[in-house]
């Protein structure tokens, strides 16, 4: 999924990042390309239009074009807007009552029955004890299909004694309660098209079953059709969320990127295959990172922004480029990095940056490093290569440390210098700072 969108985003980002300054024309041109690729992926037109407008407005409002690193900043804006259209935060399945009733709705073949089994299996991890309820009595074999799904998932199954779906959902929760199930998943019938008779029946069922969730199961392969149908179901039944299935196939991503913005109902789960375990929680931020192909680097951008003053970062960057990184910078750097949380964690987030070298620097060591660097002359701090044996001895005495400690510090300094240099090089391929 998202293959084409990913490609065009990465192409445009590369272009933007390759420029030190971005003009409004560069921005317009890139956004036009993004717009085209989103439309090609079958994202809803209004959603695309608003997305492009919002990115532009934010880019201009935040004066991105004039910022230190416009190519990187614009990625951040695009990322944030993507998360917005995908639904902001993840939304968990909501439970209420005993048993809590979840109704699955959707057109024929969208994946309701399969999803019923997957969801029951998924909820086991949340310690829910689920009974599946077949309310599709119209299609021959549908009840038996769900029975098999329940057996496979190792969850309960309600054996209906009526053909009337409304009667079934009236009785099933009571039976579930008596038998000790806390969750009931109702598999409803699907039709080829949205149809008034079906809507009427589903409404009646919902009135009786009082579900805590009415989840619309949408076939992710069908793009904008899925979005339109979701809208109709929502208008009739006030759905509480969406499960998007078949995202393992060659779905272009149009439904995933449109459904929340159009219906204002969150995608809660996604189906990524035919097996029982092929269901996942939907995380807007993770999907956005995936689309942008950036992984955890984005988290790092945010952390870095909070902690680094832009000007200081720029000064440092220039020094690093010219390989003039000195001990004063080293000290400032260690202090700043320490403010960003555990060093090991931070280093892990940067692809290609080894955690070694900085991870062992704790507070106590920091005090000693400060003492050592403070005992140096300014010349020594700026040009550490002049630190010969006798200078090291003098500094050790002055700072109350030992020559070994100074040697070790210089090793760490060299390592950091090297690491940052190679990091800067890779940085041109899409890393912060
Ligand atoms: N690849 C893939 N196939 C899926 C997924 N979810 C469901 N399917 C397949 O889609 C087909 C239809 O699934 P069902 O669960 O029977 O759909 P339904 O909505 O219950 O259909 P009706 O009962 O006829 O309304 C089956 O062949 C499933 O295996 C998914 O996430 N990925
Ligand atoms: Mg079915």
């Amino acid at each position: 999924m998202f293959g084409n969108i990913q490609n065009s985003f990465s192409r445009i980002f590369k272009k933007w990042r390759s420029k030190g300054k971005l003009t409004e024309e560069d921005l317009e041109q890139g956004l036009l390309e993004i717009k085209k690729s989103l439309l090609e992926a079958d994202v809803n037109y209004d959603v695309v239009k608003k997305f492009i407008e919002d990115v532009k407005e934010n880019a201009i409002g935040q004066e991105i074009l004039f910022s230190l690193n416009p190519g990187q900043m614009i990625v951040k804006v695009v990322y944030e807007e993507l998360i917005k259209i995908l639904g902001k935060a993840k939304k968990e399945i909501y439970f209420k009552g005993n048993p809590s009733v979840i109704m699955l709705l959707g057109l024929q073949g969208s994946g309701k029955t399969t999803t019923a089994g997957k969801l029951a299996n998924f909820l086991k991890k949340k310690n829910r004890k689920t009974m599946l309820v077949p309310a599709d009595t119209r299609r021959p074999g549908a009840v038996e299909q769900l029975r098999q799904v329940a057996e496979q998932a190792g969850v309960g199954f309600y054996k209906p004694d009526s053909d009337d779906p409304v009667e079934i959902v009236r009785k099933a929760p009571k039976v579930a309660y008596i038998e000790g199930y806390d969750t009931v998943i109702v598999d409803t019938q699907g039709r080829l098209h949205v149809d008034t008779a079906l809507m009427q029946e589903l409404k009646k069922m919902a009135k009786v079953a009082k579900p805590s969730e009415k989840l619309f199961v949408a076939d992710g392969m069908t793009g904008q059709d899925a979005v339109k149908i979701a809208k109709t179901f929502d208008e009739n039944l006030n759905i509480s969320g969406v499960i998007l299935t078949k995202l393992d196939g060659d779905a272009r991503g149009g439904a995933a990127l449109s459904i929340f913005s159009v219906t204002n109902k969150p995608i809660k789960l996604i189906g990524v295959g035919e097996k029982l375990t092929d269901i996942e929680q939907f995380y807007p931020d993770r999907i956005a990172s995936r689309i942008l192909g950036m992984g955890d680097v984005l988290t790092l951008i945010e952390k870095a922004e909070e902690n680094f003053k832009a000007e200081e970062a720029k000064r440092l960057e220039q020094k690093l480029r010219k390989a003039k990184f000195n001990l004063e910078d080293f000290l400032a750097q260690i202090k700043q990095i320490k403010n960003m949380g555990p060093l090991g964690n931070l280093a892990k987030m940067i692809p290609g940056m080894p955690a070694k070298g900085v991870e062992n620097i704790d507070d106590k060591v920091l005090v000693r490093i400060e003492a050592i660097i403070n005992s140096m002359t300014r010349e020594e701090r700026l040009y550490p290569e002049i630190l010969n044996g006798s200078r090291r001895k003098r500094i050790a005495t002055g700072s109350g440390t030992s020559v070994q400690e100074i040697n070790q510090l210089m090793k760490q300094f060299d390592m950091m210098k090297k690491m940052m240099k190679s990091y800067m090089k890779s940085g041109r391929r899409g890393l912060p700072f």
Side-chain angles (χ1 to χ4, degrees):
M1 213 199 2
F2 302 125
N4 285 338
I5 311 185
Q6 277 169 345
N7 290 342
S8 69
F9 270 118
S10 86
R11 204 176 46 242
I12 293 153
F13 287 166
K14 206 167 155 194
K15 216 190 274 173
W16 277 342
R17 277 202 310 263
S18 68
K19 306 193 171 195
K21 279 240 164 352
L22 274 188
T23 64
E24 204 159 334
E25 203 188 326
D26 294 328
L27 183 69
E28 295 273 359
Q29 224 171 35
L31 287 177
L32 199 67
E33 261 183 77
I34 290 179
K35 185 174 175 180
K36 243 191 337 205
S37 77
L38 288 174
L39 289 174
E40 267 164 25
D42 202 19
V43 182
N44 176 282
Y45 180 77
D46 293 330
V47 175
V48 174
K49 193 161 161 266
K50 181 145 190 337
F51 173 76
I52 298 292
E53 277 168 12
D54 287 352
V55 170
K56 203 152 85 185
E57 202 181 296
N58 273 322
I60 290 166
Q62 294 176 28
E63 303 201 329
I64 296 243
L65 296 178
F66 310 109
S67 68
L68 290 169
N69 194 339
Q72 179 202 313
M73 293 296 287
I74 187 81
V75 175
K76 189 170 167 283
V77 172
V78 169
Y79 172 68
E80 280 163 3
E81 288 302 322
L82 259 187
I83 293 177
K84 249 190 237 167
I85 65 170
L86 285 164
K88 298 175 196 106
K90 74 160 181 174
K91 298 285 179 343
E92 305 258 5
I93 297 285
Y94 175 66
F95 300 101
K96 189 182 174 204
N98 194 14
S100 196
V101 178
I102 299 170
M103 266 176 87
L104 299 182
L105 319 161
L107 290 192
Q108 199 169 316
S110 62
K112 295 179 295 301
T113 307
T114 316
T115 301
K118 288 187 202 172
L119 180 55
N121 192 55
F122 177 83
L123 293 178
K124 276 189 200 165
K125 277 176 261 163
K126 301 188 185 293
N127 292 322
R128 307 292 304 190
K129 222 176 147 229
T130 304
M131 176 184 251
L132 297 186
V133 175
D136 178 2
T137 49
R138 219 168 83 111
R139 184 167 64 77
V143 174
E144 174 56 18
Q145 189 196 350
L146 189 73
R147 192 196 63 74
Q148 285 176 12
V149 165
E151 191 178 87
Q152 206 195 346
V155 297
F157 176 72
Y158 174 77
K159 201 163 175 296
D161 56 7
S162 157
D163 276 347
D164 179 1
V166 181
E167 271 317 296
I168 292 174
V169 295
R170 193 191 310 279
K171 281 188 190 158
K174 292 176 189 153
V175 174
Y177 177 75
I178 291 166
E179 295 187 3
Y181 293 98
D182 56 18
T183 310
V184 160
I185 297 177
V186 181
D187 179 30
T188 64
Q189 63 161 283
R191 301 211 179 159
L192 274 177
H193 306 282
V194 175
D195 135 338
T196 351
L198 173 66
M199 289 299 171
Q200 288 312 321
E201 188 174 273
L202 292 173
K203 270 187 209 172
K204 270 192 228 158
M205 288 166 71
K207 210 167 158 189
V208 169
K210 296 187 186 61
S212 60
E213 289 274 16
K214 283 174 276 186
L215 299 174
F216 176 71
V217 179
D219 181 338
M221 301 274 286
T222 60
Q224 284 318 290
D225 277 344
V227 179
K228 264 186 239 144
I229 299 158
K231 206 169 168 207
T232 313
F233 267 78
D234 190 37
E235 281 158 7
N236 278 279
L237 288 148
N238 185 23
I239 60 171
S240 57
V242 177
I243 298 180
L244 206 51
T245 64
K246 308 186 195 179
L247 291 189
D248 49 313
D250 50 5
R252 286 171 294 172
L257 281 160
S258 316
I259 235 165
F260 170 74
S261 299
V262 172
T263 62
N264 205 24
K265 297 295 160 73
I267 299 173
K268 296 205 165 180
L269 297 158
I270 51 177
V272 291
E274 296 188 71
K275 290 197 306 290
L276 206 57
T277 46
D278 293 333
I279 191 164
E280 292 171 11
Q281 178 85 44
F282 182 77
Y283 292 92
D285 53 345
R286 290 188 198 172
I287 298 282
S289 318
R290 218 163 81 191
I291 293 174
L292 301 185
M294 309 210 60
D296 284 339
V297 169
L298 284 150
T299 319
L300 185 70
I301 292 180
E302 275 167 21
K303 279 203 175 189
E305 274 181 0
E306 282 166 26
N307 292 283
F308 276 74
K309 282 186 205 119
E311 283 309 322
E312 226 161 326
K314 186 184 180 187
R315 188 183 58 82
L316 191 67
E317 178 181 327
Q318 281 168 345
K319 279 205 169 154
L320 282 168
R321 282 253 179 84
K322 294 183 204 142
K324 273 193 188 158
F325 188 61
N326 62 42
L327 281 164
E328 277 180 1
D329 304 317
F330 178 60
L331 188 61
Q333 193 64 6
I334 293 177
K335 279 185 187 165
Q336 264 173 338
I337 292 181
K338 278 197 77 70
N339 290 335
M340 293 168 76
L343 286 173
N345 285 350
L346 193 77
K348 259 186 262 153
M349 283 194 288
I350 307 172
M353 176 150 168
K356 272 205 176 112
V358 281
E359 77 212 332
N360 297 326
I361 301 174
D362 66 18
D363 281 325
K364 257 186 271 153
V365 178
L366 191 68
V367 174
R368 297 178 81 80
I369 291 177
E370 237 181 317
I372 293 172
I373 296 179
N374 285 337
S375 299
M376 294 178 184
T377 64
R378 186 156 167 82
E379 197 193 4
E380 285 164 346
R381 276 182 237 149
L382 299 184
Y383 308 99
E385 54 280 2
I386 64 170
L387 285 173
N388 58 16
S390 67
R391 283 178 191 262
R392 288 185 192 212
K393 222 182 267 168
R394 192 206 76 235
I395 294 163
T397 316
S399 58
T401 58
S402 65
V403 174
Q404 278 105 307
E405 270 178 278
I406 292 168
N407 292 344
Q408 205 194 345
L409 171 67
M410 292 315 296
K411 244 189 234 154
Q412 274 173 328
F413 169 70
D414 282 337
M415 206 192 292
M416 191 159 182
K417 198 164 144 179
K418 253 188 240 146
M419 232 157 49
M420 295 193 92
K421 244 201 219 160
S422 69
Y423 179 46
M424 287 307 299
K425 270 190 214 142
S426 65
R428 299 306 97 197
R429 272 185 266 121
L431 291 166
F433 325 128

